[in-house]
Amino acid sequence: MSRRVRRVSALSGVAGLLAVAGIVAVGTPAVAEDVFKVVPQDVILPPASYWDTAVGMSGTTSAVGGKLVLAFSAEPLTGAESSAGLPASFVMQHNPCEKAAGYNAVFICRTGPDFQRPPTFLATRDAADMTTVYRGYAYVPQGGDLSAGIEAALSANARPAGTTHGASKAVVKTREHAERNTVGFTLQDVAAGKSAWHETRLHAPDGGRIHVRFDQADGQVATRGDRIMLSELTSGPGASCVTLNPQISSSWHSVRCTLEPGDHTIGYRLTAPPAASTFKLETVVQHSIYSAGIPADHVESVGPFAVSGAPVHPKHAILGRDTTGSLYLYAGSGNADRPFMERRPLGGTWQTYNALTRLSPLAEDLQYQDLVPAEAMRGRGDLITRDASGTLWYHHRQNLYNGEPYAARVKAGTGWNIYNQLTGAGDVNRDGHMDLLARDNAGVLWLYPGTGNLTTGARFTARIKAGTGWNIYNQVAAGTDLSGDGTADLLARDTTGALWLYKGTGNPTAPYAARIKAGTGWNIYNQLTLSGDLTNDGKADAIARDTSGALWLYKGTGNPTAPYAARTQIGTGWNIYNSVL
């Protein structure tokens, strides 16, 4: 079981705090029977949170002209005047009420429709665990004895509570205290079309509230809307639970429980649909012991499990650069009949580059609940560009759908104008880093292995000679596995229109095996791109553009001697782009 603690500030405004804590401010509309009544309300606070000291009231219409006396003390209020006062860790933030003359921490507030909101205090960030403030209160009607009301408030802990007077307290409990309330899990994997029984065990010496949600585990491709359903919620004595959302989701809590102090077991059944995908999930339990704020310094406990079913394949996207230098993103849909979504402009001045290539197919984001680590986007479509001076630039792939897909460029080298073609190779040497191919004017092919370096411009190691005679080809595309063996392959088209497949070997000094003829007649195309899987079948596809601007999809077969099925037209007008990648 893993546990994580997330701190959420409780300094979010007095009104919200009251509503969460269930404390009703003076001036609440009268109940049907307008009899004035006050109700005690204890509060548990985290450090660095506000305490609004309003008490629960009803019948406020009849309270016109009355006074509410509030006395505060670090010790029980037993009538001793010297005991009144606040701990140093409780700081006054707001007080429209009158301070009683001669007393440390006694306040007199108007009641009725023209009420004054009682004082607000801040429990400071360094407030010690179990710091307690006692609150005594007494209502004095119009024309009543104010001195008697002050005496009743100062002795509230020494006398029985009544409808117009009583005592309550605020207790600070630190995060370390909150972590004494622990959570355990009994979780089973759920197969497609099947159910599994899950249990959450809570050791809750403080009681409190829990919320249960289900997150997709970090580092995975997004699932495709699987409806995992929760049912048969159970709980034992001292736990009151409700189902908030029967379809589990990271966006909504599925279960909420209120717990009395003690040990509890919450059970429920999860059911996956027959067409469920394979993915990893986390049961996330947020446990809060506090009255102020939801959640306020809650503790998160996490239990992993999996759904087993059909594989989830990443969707792939392509880019198009037009003659003005604008770059457009076409996100993948996973649908073979219409593989791309509407284009999205990325802007920029990309026409300043005379070479533009992806190191690997542009894949959709991996899912992360919190901060996305930079390394997670490696191998998902980083861009390489070269300007007229021969400077090489590296454009780091970042979040695709919730922001700009590329970070600010990083200078990766100079003198690269000795090459007439740059091609992203994917991970040719199987070290987890994306590599680059460069062909010089003599037809020599050079491999630049990637370093994975994120802190400097040294994105590639020294070049390795990968072959000669490559000037017989007028189109080279690489970066993805076409043969199903896990190594990135390469396609090359010669001047006769023949297409050749070079299977990757994983050996950087001889990165490709002998060529295999993969087709003829490919000289009708002026652009060839290895796009990754566009049809959600787990096989890498290709797209080609003919001279009329028609775009064609070639579905991958995984067979190196016949790597593509018959072509399917998927678009027109693509000759507006001078580069499709």
Side-chain angles (χ1 to χ4, degrees):
M1 179 190 73
S2 63
R3 308 190 70 220
R4 57 191 179 197
V5 178
R6 181 178 298 159
R7 183 179 181 82
V8 180
S9 174
L11 307 183
S12 58
V14 171
L17 201 61
L18 285 174
V20 167
I23 302 174
V24 182
V26 178
T28 300
V31 293
E33 184 180 352
D34 191 24
V35 177
F36 186 79
K37 187 183 299 182
V38 291
V39 180
Q41 178 71 54
D42 290 341
V43 177
I44 300 174
L45 304 170
S49 63
Y50 287 124
W51 177 32
D52 188 299
T53 61
V55 299
M57 283 191 175
S58 62
T60 53
T61 301
S62 62
V64 174
K67 305 286 187 181
L68 180 68
V69 180
L70 291 170
F72 300 94
S73 174
E75 300 173 359
L77 290 153
T78 59
E81 178 185 329
S82 59
S83 68
L86 289 161
S89 55
F90 272 71
V91 179
M92 177 78 74
Q93 294 294 294
H94 179 69
N95 177 36
C97 301
E98 176 187 354
K99 190 174 185 296
Y103 295 97
N104 263 341
V106 178
F107 304 94
I108 304 167
C109 308
R110 290 194 306 269
T111 63
D114 187 27
F115 73 95
Q116 290 175 309
R117 187 176 297 279
T120 301
F121 298 100
L122 171 67
T124 61
R125 193 170 300 278
D126 60 355
D129 188 45
M130 298 305 293
T131 297
T132 302
V133 176
Y134 297 87
R135 174 180 58 181
Y137 54 87
Y139 169 66
V140 180
Q142 186 174 18
D145 187 343
L146 186 59
S147 297
I150 293 174
E151 181 184 353
L154 285 169
S155 59
N157 292 114
R159 63 172 68 193
T163 58
T164 60
H165 63 274
S168 60
K169 62 181 179 291
V171 181
V172 173
K173 294 185 179 180
T174 62
R175 186 179 67 188
E176 291 74 19
H177 188 122
E179 289 179 315
R180 299 174 195 170
N181 297 263
T182 58
V183 177
F185 299 96
T186 301
L187 308 177
Q188 302 178 47
D189 292 347
V190 186
K194 304 290 185 181
S195 297
W197 185 255
H198 285 198
E199 290 185 343
T200 298
R201 300 180 305 279
L202 300 117
H203 173 63
D206 291 278
R209 298 175 308 279
I210 66 165
H211 287 80
V212 182
R213 73 171 191 273
F214 299 88
D215 288 344
Q216 185 170 323
D218 284 349
Q220 299 180 97
V221 176
T223 59
R224 306 302 183 220
D226 291 336
R227 294 174 61 88
I228 312 300
M229 305 302 292
L230 182 148
S231 61
E232 302 176 33
L233 177 64
T234 63
S235 60
S240 175
C241 297
V242 295
T243 300
L244 301 175
N245 185 6
Q247 181 179 342
I248 70 173
S249 167
S250 60
S251 302
W252 302 95
H253 291 119
S254 290
V255 175
R256 180 183 66 220
C257 298
T258 300
L259 308 176
E260 296 178 4
D263 294 322
H264 306 278
T265 298
I266 312 301
Y268 47 84
R269 185 173 300 281
L270 294 183
T271 303
S277 304
T278 295
F279 59 106
K280 297 178 182 178
L281 287 167
E282 294 175 337
T283 301
V284 182
V285 176
Q286 296 177 342
H287 187 190
S288 179
I289 65 174
Y290 302 108
S291 308
I294 294 178
D297 288 285
H298 65 238
V299 175
E300 282 192 353
S301 301
V302 180
F305 67 99
V307 175
S308 58
V312 177
H313 303 299
K315 295 176 182 176
H316 287 86
I318 62 171
L319 298 167
R321 181 185 66 177
D322 67 18
T323 55
T324 70
S326 295
L327 198 65
Y328 293 89
L329 168 71
Y330 288 82
S333 68
N335 184 339
D337 296 327
R338 187 175 177 271
F340 301 115
M341 310 293 283
E342 294 297 323
R343 73 177 189 175
R344 170 185 155 195
L346 301 182
T349 54
W350 295 84
Q351 198 60 31
T352 59
Y353 304 117
N354 57 29
L356 181 67
T357 187
R358 281 186 285 99
L359 290 179
S360 58
L362 182 59
E364 69 178 298
D365 291 343
L366 300 177
Q367 300 295 297
Y368 286 86
Q369 296 301 321
D370 296 307
L371 181 67
V372 179
E375 187 65 25
M377 291 296 109
R378 284 299 193 199
R380 309 190 75 78
D382 288 4
L383 280 183
I384 292 294
T385 58
R386 182 189 62 192
D387 64 24
S389 72
T391 301
L392 195 73
W393 300 95
Y394 195 106
H395 304 260
H396 176 63
R397 166 81 165 77
Q398 57 185 17
N399 194 315
L400 178 58
Y401 297 115
N402 297 321
E404 294 303 320
Y406 293 100
R409 67 183 189 176
V410 175
K411 188 175 181 180
T414 57
W416 283 75
N417 47 11
I418 65 173
Y419 300 116
N420 59 29
Q421 182 153 355
L422 300 178
T423 304
D427 184 12
V428 173
N429 58 3
R430 294 182 177 179
D431 64 354
H433 308 308
M434 299 301 111
D435 309 319
L436 179 65
L437 292 169
R439 184 184 65 185
D440 64 24
N441 292 325
V444 178
L445 190 69
W446 300 92
L447 173 68
Y448 283 83
T451 64
N453 187 337
L454 293 173
T455 58
T456 71
R459 301 302 171 97
F460 302 102
T461 64
R463 68 182 188 176
I464 300 170
K465 192 174 185 179
T468 58
W470 283 76
N471 48 8
I472 66 172
Y473 299 118
N474 57 22
Q475 186 82 234
V476 176
T480 191
D481 175 22
L482 301 175
S483 58
D485 63 359
T487 303
D489 305 318
L490 179 148
L491 285 177
R493 183 188 67 187
D494 65 26
T495 55
T496 71
L499 193 68
W500 302 90
L501 170 66
Y502 285 83
K503 289 185 62 177
T505 65
N507 179 359
T509 59
Y512 298 107
R515 69 182 188 174
I516 302 169
K517 194 170 188 177
T520 58
W522 284 73
N523 49 5
I524 64 173
Y525 300 118
N526 57 24
Q527 181 83 50
L528 173 63
T529 302
L530 299 187
S531 56
D533 179 17
L534 298 177
T535 58
N536 199 34
D537 62 0
K539 297 182 176 64
D541 305 315
I543 55 173
R545 183 187 63 188
D546 66 26
T547 54
S548 74
L551 196 68
W552 300 88
L553 168 67
Y554 283 84
K555 287 187 63 175
T557 65
N559 180 356
T561 59
Y564 296 111
R567 70 180 189 173
T568 303
Q569 186 171 349
I570 58 172
T572 58
W574 283 74
N575 48 9
I576 64 173
Y577 299 117
N578 57 30
S579 185
V580 178
L581 62 154

